[in-house]
Amino acid sequence: MEYHVARLSLAPEGKKSIEWAQREMPVLEGIRNNWFRERPLEGVRLSACLHVTAETAVLMITLRDGGCEVRLCASNPLSTQDEVAASLVEDYGIPVFAVRGEDRDTYYRHIAQALSFTPHLTMDDGADLVSYLHQKGQDMIPHVIGGTEETTTGVIRLKSMAGSGKLNYPIVAVNDAKTKHLFDNRYGTGQSTWEGILRATHTLLAGKKVVVAGYGWCGRGIALRARGLGARVCVTEIDPVKGLEALMDGNEVKTMEEAASWGEVFITATGNISVIRREHFLAMNDGVILANAGHFNVEIDIEELEKMSANLREVRPMVAEYTLRDGKRVFLLGEGRLVNLACAEGHPPMVMDMSFANQALAARYLHEKGDTLAKDVYPVPEELDREVAKVKLATMKASIDTLTPRQEKYLASWEEGT
Ligand code: ADE
């Protein structure tokens, strides 16, 4: 079997970590049990470009047990859990091409290797694999029925491709399922971003001045958890409605220019480029901590920070100290890459359970219906989204009410009023 992982001897540790994640992924486990009998993806080849974590491993095993032949590469050079990659190869027979800390060339070589068996389906997190396939693997595209996309940034890129007529097969935007972004982006990122920052820095959050750039679902979650731990939170936004929402949720709202000299911990979650840049570094106080929760490492202008610095050293694992020419220190976490995956283990399995249940069901949907779809970006079908929520609620031992006939009639009527 072809693969490239850091060390196969790490497999026993990885297997324990995968089994630990499995305990808290009951929705996916239910799908796996059904698929083991039904084999709905028999004969399907799927190339996945996802963060190589224990939770992703549980998804890969589910797909494999559904009859699918999968190949996995990393969707970020710094998010791979090497022990998990080793176990997928050694214990589960799944080819993985991922090594934590891989350079750019290796990252793209691994994408090429994950694609090299000419997939029928693609599964992406950030759209690097789809972008690569469209630029360098055109000959394979006629064989591809469809793909899924995990994250906001990827969906934006793919919609841009579709808008300019460049997308050559249908994509299901898993990110846009309610059971994905309302939970994974908000509660997953909200918790795991802080886990990454706190593990890396060992700082106390109570009383800290925290600046959150962007009030999308990720920013909302990060700010929510910071307030819960006693931080004073300021949000920066470019959208007046989101800015207003941030204010009424109890945050301060400032421009980044104003926030730069106020904040002590800065977290970017905008999906945009150079959100924290030269003029902001210049205005910041000594000892500020910078972290990024967005998909790509472009939100903090690291190149500019390097140019402005007289000295750079690692002061703790994943903590780089930049000393500016005036002697001021700026601490950058995880090379400005996704802090939750670079400095911690990403979102907990409990929430990835829903995201990846959507991924598995969307893959099956594309296998069965992909040839009826146009070359466009589609939502997860509403009934799949609701099914994931229903099963998750049941596994969390919660029950909800059903409408009485009188209530149904009332909701359908317009005659009854005051
Ligand atoms: N994205 C965020 N957290 C993740 C995790 N634990 N596994 C895979 N992708 C993720």
Side-chain angles (χ1 to χ4, degrees), residues 126-127 149 151-158 175 270-271 294-296 299:
E149 171 52 51
T151 202
T152 318
T153 294
V155 171
I156 291 169
R157 284 177 91 185
L158 293 163
N175 180 72
T270 69
H295 186 79
F296 287 120
E299 306 208 15

Side-chain angles (χ1 to χ4, degrees), residues 191-212:
Q191 179 170 314
S192 63
T193 295
W194 284 112
E195 193 179 356
I197 295 171
L198 299 180
R199 275 199 206 183
T201 62
H202 203 214
T203 198
L204 181 76
L205 204 48
K208 274 272 180 332
K209 293 184 198 157
V210 168
V211 177
V212 179

Side-chain angles (χ1 to χ4, degrees), residues 50-56 75 81 125 150 184 189 192 338 340-341 345-349 352 356:
L50 300 169
H51 300 297
V52 180
T53 64
E55 294 71 32
T56 297
S75 58
Q81 295 167 1
D125 185 336
E150 169 76 5
D184 172 314
T189 310
S192 63
L338 280 163
N340 59 341
L341 284 143
E345 293 166 81
H347 305 347
M352 293 312 296
F356 285 169

Side-chain angles (χ1 to χ4, degrees), residues 393 398-404 407:
L393 264 178
S399 333
I400 57 167
D401 286 320
T402 40
L403 293 172
T404 63
Q407 286 172 328

Side-chain angles (χ1 to χ4, degrees), residues 21-172:
Q22 243 157 356
R23 290 168 41 256
E24 289 211 325
M25 301 183 82
V27 180
L28 206 50
E29 189 63 11
I31 293 173
R32 190 169 78 89
N33 287 335
N34 292 336
W35 282 15
F36 202 73
R37 288 191 311 274
E38 296 168 21
R39 307 280 286 178
L41 298 177
E42 193 71 62
V44 173
R45 291 189 298 275
L46 183 149
S47 298
C49 179
L50 300 169
H51 300 297
V52 180
T53 64
E55 294 71 32
T56 297
V58 179
L59 172 61
M60 293 300 108
I61 295 162
T62 304
L63 294 167
R64 183 203 65 177
D65 287 352
C68 193
E69 196 185 333
V70 288
R71 283 182 159 227
L72 172 66
C73 65
S75 58
N76 186 298
L78 216 48
S79 60
T80 297
Q81 295 167 1
D82 286 327
E83 68 285 5
V84 168
S87 176
L88 276 172
V89 171
E90 184 81 343
D91 302 311
Y92 299 93
I94 294 175
V96 180
F97 305 89
V99 175
R100 184 179 162 96
E102 63 199 16
D103 61 21
R104 197 171 188 280
D105 287 349
T106 313
Y107 176 77
Y108 279 103
R109 194 177 70 242
H110 285 161
I111 289 183
Q113 286 175 299
L115 284 167
S116 66
F117 68 168
T118 311
H120 303 111
L121 295 176
T122 63
M123 192 172 271
D124 218 342
D125 185 336
D128 277 349
L129 181 135
V130 174
S131 166
Y132 183 92
L133 185 59
H134 280 69
Q135 292 176 69
K136 302 245 167 75
Q138 279 289 347
D139 51 322
M140 291 188 223
I141 287 184
H143 303 274
V144 183
I145 313 158
T148 64
E149 171 52 51
E150 169 76 5
T151 202
T152 318
T153 294
V155 171
I156 291 169
R157 284 177 91 185
L158 293 163
K159 283 188 174 162
S160 153
M161 278 175 85
S164 54
K166 296 275 161 43
L167 185 67
N168 284 330
Y169 58 85
I171 298 278
V172 173

